[in-house]
Amino acid sequence: MADISEDKLSEKNVEDVGSRYFLPRNVEEAERMQNQHEWLKGGADGLVLAPIDLNRSKMRVLDAATADGYWMQDAKSIFPKDTEFVGFDNAPEGYPPLNSSPPLQIVKQNLVEEFPAAWKNSFDFVHQRFVIPLFKTEEVPLVLRNLIGCMKPGGWIQLVEMDFQTPVSKPIESCPAVQAVHKLTSTVVSDPLASTKLAGRLTDEGLVKVGYKAIEMVAGSSHPDPELGERGKRNMLSVLGFFQSVAKPEMIGMTEEEWKSLPQRFAEEMKNHHVALRVYFVWGQKAAAQ
């Protein structure tokens, strides 16, 4: 893999990082992400799939792109009580604070800028989800190296990302709105298949015991758990709305009328068919010091 250091990113690249996060930062978005969190946790049957020992004492956990810190608040229930959690986001002030005791530790930090020196080799577990596809291919190694640099020798990282392109809904020929949504999201993100490349990237970066699990997240009436199916439906329609706000119908060959009716048609397909998307949980361990 090519060596891409931070100084090879132009100042404009760094300034543009904020613009790639097209989703809003407000109470409504925090609520959407919390709903998405519960849907994902239910579909994956847990928050941490990496084979880390969750019984060790005095661990440190870093949550990248944490938003309001909801993942950290929930993850506290599965880690030992003496675990220290640190979260960062490039604009944490945009989200309403969660009620937690003690308050969540969330700092302002950008994924492509230099990380605090105190974080180097400092965390037993690093977690990040739903960010990598927004970065350009040439930026991803820097993002991963920043995160890997925070891991202690023997520590673990877990990355969670959607496959925006591969259709897993059934029967796909009966889901033209689903196909249109795939086309739309693939057009807006930088790399719609970034999730499928993460295991290879972690291996290239020298991590060991790299593994992954691909999970089909069902949205709508075909979910065996009606509550989770409804959560998925709400999340998918909300995300579609945001994608439509930054795109135009001609980008995917739609008329204005087709564009306006897309949410309604998408909802109907989630009601009548098996609509799902694939999410990858990818993990790896930093080799222990010799």
Side-chain angles (χ1 to χ4, degrees), residues 24-242:
R25 294 179 173 88
N26 51 34
V27 173
E28 290 75 16
E29 173 60 3
E31 291 175 347
R32 183 200 67 79
M33 288 190 296
Q34 290 170 18
N35 174 71
Q36 177 179 260
H37 171 96
E38 298 297 338
W39 177 46
L40 184 65
K41 180 174 69 171
D45 195 26
L47 296 176
V48 176
L49 275 59
I52 182 174
D53 181 0
L54 294 174
N55 296 312
R56 292 172 48 222
S57 62
K58 297 183 179 179
M59 284 195 286
R60 300 189 76 217
V61 174
L62 180 67
D63 187 32
T66 193
D68 63 352
Y70 194 78
W71 182 90
M72 291 192 295
Q73 179 171 274
D74 199 7
K76 284 184 176 183
S77 65
I78 62 173
F79 281 85
K81 290 185 177 180
D82 61 359
T83 301
E84 178 187 357
F85 287 84
V86 178
F88 74 83
D89 197 87
N90 72 326
E93 68 280 359
Y95 299 100
L98 293 173
N99 292 324
S100 62
S101 183
L104 295 173
Q105 184 180 347
I106 300 177
V107 299
K108 189 169 185 175
Q109 175 62 44
N110 200 299
L111 278 163
V112 296
E113 293 176 332
E114 186 176 357
F115 279 20
W119 289 2
K120 187 174 180 62
N121 298 322
S122 182
F123 292 91
D124 300 273
F125 185 68
V126 174
H127 173 265
Q128 177 268 306
R129 68 182 178 191
F130 300 150
V131 173
I132 297 295
L134 301 177
F135 285 93
K136 299 173 184 176
T137 300
E138 62 269 22
E139 294 174 319
V140 174
L142 175 58
V143 173
L144 295 181
R145 289 171 194 173
N146 277 340
L147 295 174
I148 291 169
C150 296
M151 299 163 62
K152 292 179 181 178
W156 290 87
I157 187 170
Q158 177 178 284
L159 307 171
V160 183
E161 297 293 353
M162 294 182 185
D163 177 347
F164 287 95
Q165 189 164 303
T166 307
V168 293
S169 300
K170 305 171 186 176
I172 191 61
E173 62 273 11
S174 299
C175 300
V178 171
Q179 294 183 60
V181 171
H182 274 294
K183 190 174 182 179
L184 172 61
T185 55
S186 295
T187 300
V188 174
V189 300
S190 293
D191 185 356
L193 290 174
S195 60
T196 68
K197 305 170 185 176
L198 285 175
R201 286 187 177 277
L202 293 185
T203 300
D204 289 346
E205 295 298 335
L207 297 192
V208 298
K209 298 181 181 178
V210 173
Y212 72 90
K213 184 174 183 179
I215 296 171
E216 288 193 13
M217 297 294 301
V218 180
S221 301
S222 66
H223 199 298
D225 183 327
E227 180 182 349
L228 290 177
E230 180 61 28
R231 285 187 181 278
K233 176 185 174 181
R234 291 205 313 268
N235 185 73
M236 297 289 278
L237 288 173
S238 181
V239 170
L240 171 58
F242 292 135

Side-chain angles (χ1 to χ4, degrees), residues 265-277:
R265 291 185 288 117
F266 188 35
E268 284 295 314
E269 289 178 7
M270 285 190 282
K271 177 181 178 182
N272 297 323
H273 302 294
H274 178 87
V275 173
L277 56 82

